Amino acid sequence: QLRLVESGGGLVQPGGSLRLSCVASGLTLDYYVIAWFRQAPGKEREWVSCIRNRSGSTSYADSVKGRFTISRDNAKNTVYLQMNSLKPEDTADYYCAADPVNYCSGAASFYDYWGQGTQVTVSS
């Protein structure tokens, strides 16, 4: 059974850091493109970043570029999202998503598999 599980969310002060993890079971992440999305209360789900399989090339939304870093550890079947210099506007539920087509899409509908999400709150 295919499953993605996010963790690492929490409460952090502005300027702080968090590292989110997305652990896969039932699939080998190296064969999938992995994306992170986020959804704030009352807002649509927003694409944050993605990492392609094989090449490992990455892409970021302008709102997080230079602050967030996506990476993967194939041995652990895990993708990470390192979030630095966090701002209150980064507050949201964060989701990882996977798809076997090696294309980095910003559309949530593109991805076949989703985790349950982890909550990130940036507040003083």
Side-chain angles (χ1 to χ4, degrees), residues 34-37 46-51 58-61 64 68-70 81 104-105 111:
I34 306 298
W36 285 95
F37 285 78
E46 173 191 22
W47 172 77
V48 174
S49 180
C50 63
I51 184 166
T58 59
S59 299
Y60 299 92
V64 306
F68 290 11
T69 303
I70 190 171
L81 185 68
C104 192
S105 174
Y111 297 89

Side-chain angles (χ1 to χ4, degrees), residues 86-115:
L86 283 162
K87 304 175 181 180
E89 51 263 44
D90 295 318
T91 296
D93 292 327
Y94 283 71
Y95 301 86
C96 65
D99 197 89
V101 177
N102 194 23
Y103 174 72
C104 192
S105 174
S109 59
F110 173 82
Y111 297 89
D112 286 346
Y113 307 106
W114 288 84

Side-chain angles (χ1 to χ4, degrees), residues 15-30:
S17 298
L18 284 173
R19 188 177 78 160
L20 306 184
S21 299
C22 172
V23 180
S25 59
L27 60 91
T28 302
L29 278 185
D30 192 30

Side-chain angles (χ1 to χ4, degrees), residues 50-89:
C50 63
I51 184 166
R52 295 178 65 177
N53 60 20
R54 292 191 289 275
S55 70
S57 62
T58 59
S59 299
Y60 299 92
D62 287 343
S63 58
V64 306
K65 199 172 293 183
R67 300 187 298 123
F68 290 11
T69 303
I70 190 171
S71 62
R72 65 197 310 158
D73 185 334
N74 293 330
K76 295 183 178 180
N77 221 26
T78 301
V79 171
Y80 302 100
L81 185 68
Q82 177 67 44
M83 306 187 297
N84 299 328
S85 302
L86 283 162
K87 304 175 181 180
E89 51 263 44

